[in-house]
Amino acid sequence: MLITIGSITTATRAARVIQSKTGIKGQVVHTPSKINKGGCSYSIRYNDDYEEELRKVVKENRIPAKKWYKEASGYYDLS
């Protein structure tokens, strides 16, 4: 699963907040060109199994997530 974020700084901070609240470690990556709508974008990669918990933490902490994508066999917009 990818959670797209606007900048590397925000993505790094978001990954730290999520890890501190849940113990779930994410990987900050460039948003793949297949789903990047132009401009600079970064994503945090997580295992799909954590979606419900991640959505809760993102909402509670007002993390500026742009879109959510599943990666299995391509990218599927979950927003």
Side-chain angles (χ1 to χ4, degrees), residues 16-66:
R16 283 188 196 139
V17 168
I18 291 168
Q19 185 173 352
S20 73
K21 301 286 184 181
T22 65
I24 302 168
K25 193 170 185 176
Q27 178 184 15
V28 176
V29 298
H30 282 280
T31 300
S33 60
K34 188 174 187 178
I35 59 175
N36 191 355
K37 304 293 183 196
C40 184
S41 179
Y42 288 84
S43 295
I44 311 169
R45 179 174 279 136
Y46 291 100
N47 185 306
D48 291 347
D49 296 338
Y50 300 120
E51 181 180 356
E52 187 175 321
E53 190 172 1
L54 292 169
R55 284 188 181 272
K56 181 181 175 189
V57 172
V58 165
K59 183 178 180 180
E60 288 174 352
N61 292 277
R62 297 185 179 130
I63 294 171
K66 291 182 174 184

Side-chain angles (χ1 to χ4, degrees), residues 1-5 29-45 66-79:
M1 163 183 315
L2 292 174
I3 303 171
T4 59
I5 308 280
V29 298
H30 282 280
T31 300
S33 60
K34 188 174 187 178
I35 59 175
N36 191 355
K37 304 293 183 196
C40 184
S41 179
Y42 288 84
S43 295
I44 311 169
R45 179 174 279 136
K66 291 182 174 184
K67 295 238 179 201
W68 296 68
Y69 293 92
K70 287 226 179 188
E71 293 184 86
S73 301
Y75 296 95
Y76 302 95
D77 188 348
L78 300 173
S79 297

